[in-house]
Amino acid sequence: MLEQTPYLGVIEGFYGKTWSWPLRERYADFLKQSGYQFYIYAPKADQYLRTQWFDHWPAEQWRSLISLRGCYAEAGVDWGIGLSPFELYKDWGSDKRRLLEHKVKTINQLNPDILCVLFDDMDGDKSGLADLQIEIIDLIAQHSSAKRIIICPTYYSFDPILEELFGKRPD
């Protein structure tokens, strides 16, 4: 049986103090030297990936994202971005669909290898939640140029803390 090396990487997807842009850039070489294959930019503090996902990043931050992508390409490490379209499924109409298509096309300009769609840390007490999230992911997949799409649903484990924080798990 042929053993495969696991596809390993780091997701900067936490709350709290974010990393600086220079640290993120230097991290590309560290990951490469350590045998990791990817890095995903998804800090919870980046509101343009979360509660303000429908807005474009300010010019300076956009330039930093372009530069960051270049550092990972140069290091030979896959680069990704994590979009958390905050509670989009609560108002999933044609206007929001167009905004989401536009955001995905904007993200495509960053040429990500990986696009994460992250529904964690959002209210989930909604009937048909899984079907809505699948519909959103399908639209994203139709418009994304990323080679890989990674998904984290609202309820990603059976830990009861999720229901305490985000509402009763839908049937």
Side-chain angles (χ1 to χ4, degrees), residues 88-106:
L88 170 62
Y89 44 81
K90 288 185 171 184
D91 182 22
W92 181 230
S94 59
D95 289 344
K96 293 293 173 80
R97 290 171 202 260
R98 281 192 291 280
L99 287 170
L100 184 59
E101 285 176 28
H102 180 72
K103 186 65 168 200
V104 172
K105 289 175 183 176
T106 299

Side-chain angles (χ1 to χ4, degrees), residues 34-95:
S34 300
Y36 288 83
Q37 292 88 21
F38 70 87
Y39 162 82
I40 296 169
Y41 172 83
K44 304 285 188 187
D46 185 336
Q47 296 307 309
Y48 301 99
L49 292 173
R50 292 188 51 79
T51 56
Q52 292 176 249
W53 63 266
F54 40 82
D55 289 331
H56 197 289
W57 288 273
E60 185 177 333
Q61 189 174 354
W62 181 249
R63 285 189 297 274
S64 294
L65 285 166
I66 291 168
S67 176
L68 187 64
R69 198 298 169 239
C71 291
Y72 283 84
E74 189 175 308
V77 174
D78 286 349
W79 183 81
I81 193 161
L83 176 63
S84 296
F86 197 76
E87 297 181 355
L88 170 62
Y89 44 81
K90 288 185 171 184
D91 182 22
W92 181 230
S94 59
D95 289 344

Side-chain angles (χ1 to χ4, degrees), residues 125-153:
D125 191 4
K126 179 162 179 58
S127 178
L129 178 67
D131 291 332
L132 284 169
Q133 289 181 353
I134 289 169
E135 197 174 319
I136 292 166
I137 291 162
D138 183 57
L139 184 133
I140 290 170
Q142 288 177 38
H143 296 281
S144 177
S145 62
K147 295 179 231 158
R148 296 174 190 251
I149 295 180
I150 298 172
I151 300 148
C152 181

